Amino acid sequence: MTVRVLLFGHYRDAAPPEAEGGAFALPLPDGATVADAARALAERDGRFADLLARTRVAVRAEFAAPDTRLAEGDELAFLPPMSGG
Amino acid sequence: MTVRVLLFGHYRDAAPPEAEGGAFALPLPDGATVADAARALAERDGRFADLLARTRVAVRAEFAAPDTRLAEGDELAFLPPMSGG
Amino acid sequence: MILLTTEPLDPAEATRHVMTAHDGAYVLFVGVVRDHARGRAVTGLEYQVYAPMAEQQMRRIVDAVRERWGLACAILHRYGYIGVGEASVVVCVASAHRAEAFDACRWAIDTLKADVPIWKKEFAANGTFWIEGEDSVPAAVGGAAEAAS
Amino acid sequence: MILLTTEPLDPAEATRHVMTAHDGAYVLFVGVVRDHARGRAVTGLEYQVYAPMAEQQMRRIVDAVRERWGLACAILHRYGYIGVGEASVVVCVASAHRAEAFDACRWAIDTLKADVPIWKKEFAANGTFWIEGEDSVPAAVGGAAEAAS
């Protein structure tokens, strides 16, 4: 399956070249979790090694957990500590 | 001596006919206190009987006490519980 | 800054007076004449003020906010007749940090309500009343309530 | 109401949306870009936003203020580049009573800062930094930081 990964803050600066607005496709084995996706990203690029430790995650724009299972086409966002306001 | 009394709120509605903007002259014996002034007003008009119980007082626009001594020309204001804002 | 006026209040004026390029936030409190009070329909309020003392007390609140919090504060209060929906009071506090701005603004309006000599006369469906703290006392019919100068 | 926009914010718009004739007060919080942060001179900020989630989270804050306090709340947030002195966020809460308005407004801005997915990039004298909670992380030079649609 393929999910759509969204990166923010300094992680977006490390997004792969094909990313648009911090978004890019990530192929994953069926049944993969949020944590599996983070591991796949860390294997691609060492700058994502601390991704899950430093971010909250959202799946389909709702807060999710590392063990949340992903489905085909899900939007998976890694959210660094926020600084709006 | 004579002080200038200032009344506010419903007490102003009971001010003597000569009052202008709630202000009028009150003759008092030399050495009179705020409490003496309140008693003099209560003797003139029963509607002032509870004046000191229901108001804070200011002398020359500063909060004062019932035993504060008055001087010639002092402005003595009786201040009901405030309701600004 | 403080302002005691019979003219309509402009909250933006308070903001302009307190904000500098160093401030990251401001908190603004605006009191507005509402259409009811104590279960009665209200058509408007008339504020009576002991002007020299009120201005002095307002200035002391501004000074106290500077001393206690190190923050700039502006207070505007209108008096005379004010219709429903119009602002009677504006308090603005600027700060680098929001928590202090909330604390100081709240303290300023609480202190104003307790210690600034201003009284409201309520024009209600069933009569006219002086509001004196928690009490409401029937007002004399046709009684003039101008500000003492 | 909520508004997420690249246009300058108008605090009066938030006020208009929350005030009714029954309300006696409103509390307004406005966050403004300041000229320094963490000891560095700042010339401006660029806000990055996860728009669909941010709007949903802002709507939830408005709903929570209605449920917990029974009060109307408006939240405006600007994104993209914002210069020093310009407003980045506006929160307004209307109420019959001031204590609740202060509590609810403060809760709303605190919750926004924690749970609404928006990040600021700081253009400072010594570089460009992503602000991520307490951390500030050097940003890629020339890195585009558009809002995700």
Side-chain angles (χ1 to χ4, degrees):
Chain A
M1 67 175 178
T2 300
V3 301
R4 185 170 178 253
V5 171
L6 264 176
L7 298 176
F8 296 94
H10 82 278
Y11 291 112
R12 182 174 297 188
D13 294 341
E18 75 271 19
E20 283 185 27
F24 57 95
L26 180 70
L28 288 171
D30 282 357
T33 63
V34 165
D36 294 330
R39 253 189 306 273
L41 290 169
E43 279 163 21
R44 283 181 168 207
D45 188 326
R47 291 176 291 179
F48 296 132
D50 62 353
L51 190 59
L52 213 50
R54 283 196 75 259
T55 63
R56 285 193 282 176
V57 290
V59 174
R60 296 177 180 268
E62 291 282 355
F63 285 117
D67 63 357
T68 299
R69 276 196 193 287
L70 298 167
E72 171 66 28
D74 272 355
E75 184 169 275
L76 167 61
F78 292 92
L79 314 170
M82 295 155 187
S83 56
Chain B
M1 69 175 178
T2 300
V3 300
R4 185 169 178 257
V5 170
L6 264 177
L7 298 175
F8 296 94
H10 83 278
Y11 291 113
R12 183 174 295 186
D13 294 340
E18 75 271 21
E20 282 184 29
F24 57 94
L26 179 69
L28 287 172
D30 282 356
T33 63
V34 166
D36 294 331
R39 253 188 306 273
L41 290 169
E43 279 163 19
R44 283 180 167 208
D45 189 326
R47 290 176 292 179
F48 296 132
D50 63 355
L51 190 58
L52 214 49
R54 284 196 75 260
T55 63
R56 284 193 284 176
V57 291
V59 174
R60 295 176 180 271
E62 291 283 355
F63 285 116
D67 63 358
T68 299
R69 276 196 193 286
L70 298 167
E72 172 65 29
D74 272 355
E75 185 169 275
L76 167 61
F78 292 92
L79 314 170
M82 294 156 187
S83 55
Chain C
M1 57 94 59
I2 64 141
L3 179 67
L4 192 60
T5 177
T6 55
E7 298 296 310
L9 302 182
D10 177 13
E13 187 180 355
T15 303
R16 270 195 305 276
H17 268 87
V18 298
M19 283 298 285
T20 72
H22 305 307
D23 295 309
Y26 64 87
V27 171
L28 185 74
F29 173 87
V30 178
V32 174
V33 176
R34 57 190 169 143
D35 65 359
H36 70 288
R38 282 156 282 270
R40 295 190 287 249
V42 169
T43 57
L45 297 178
E46 188 171 322
Y47 283 84
Q48 187 182 69
V49 56
Y50 181 18
M53 185 174 178
E55 289 182 339
Q56 180 171 277
Q57 293 291 99
M58 287 161 73
R59 246 177 257 119
R60 283 178 180 160
I61 293 172
V62 168
D63 291 346
V65 168
R66 189 176 301 112
E67 276 159 38
R68 291 175 54 171
W69 284 277
L71 302 179
C73 173
I75 304 176
L76 321 180
H77 206 301
R78 188 172 169 190
Y79 65 96
Y81 183 83
I82 312 184
V84 169
E86 292 188 85
S88 54
V89 65
V90 172
V91 179
C92 188
V93 175
S95 177
H97 304 288
R98 69 188 183 283
E100 290 78 5
F102 275 107
D103 286 345
C105 186
R106 191 168 183 160
W107 179 85
I109 181 65
D110 287 351
T111 304
L112 181 150
K113 287 186 180 248
D115 289 339
V116 176
I118 301 178
W119 298 268
K120 58 176 68 127
K121 190 158 80 168
E122 221 169 67
F123 295 96
N126 58 336
T128 305
F129 301 86
W130 282 109
I131 308 306
E132 298 180 1
E134 297 302 301
D135 294 338
S136 92
V137 185
V141 176
E146 288 102 40
S149 60
Chain D
M1 55 96 58
I2 64 142
L3 179 67
L4 191 60
T5 176
T6 55
E7 298 296 309
L9 302 182
D10 177 12
E13 187 181 354
T15 303
R16 270 195 306 276
H17 267 88
V18 297
M19 284 297 285
T20 72
H22 305 306
D23 295 310
Y26 65 87
V27 171
L28 185 74
F29 173 86
V30 179
V32 175
V33 176
R34 57 191 169 141
D35 65 359
H36 71 288
R38 283 156 282 270
R40 296 190 287 250
V42 169
T43 58
L45 297 178
E46 187 171 324
Y47 283 83
Q48 187 182 68
V49 56
Y50 181 17
M53 185 174 178
E55 289 182 341
Q56 180 171 277
Q57 293 290 98
M58 288 162 72
R59 245 177 259 120
R60 283 177 179 161
I61 293 172
V62 168
D63 291 346
V65 167
R66 190 176 301 113
E67 276 158 38
R68 291 176 54 170
W69 284 277
L71 302 179
C73 173
I75 305 175
L76 321 180
H77 206 301
R78 189 174 168 188
Y79 65 97
Y81 183 82
I82 312 185
V84 169
E86 291 188 84
S88 54
V89 64
V90 172
V91 179
C92 188
V93 175
S95 176
H97 304 287
R98 69 188 183 283
E100 290 78 5
F102 275 107
D103 287 344
C105 187
R106 192 168 183 160
W107 178 85
I109 182 65
D110 287 351
T111 305
L112 181 150
K113 287 186 181 247
D115 289 339
V116 176
I118 301 179
W119 298 268
K120 57 176 70 129
K121 189 159 78 168
E122 220 169 66
F123 297 95
N126 59 335
T128 305
F129 301 86
W130 282 108
I131 308 307
E132 299 179 1
E134 298 302 301
D135 294 339
S136 91
V137 185
V141 176
E146 289 103 36
S149 59

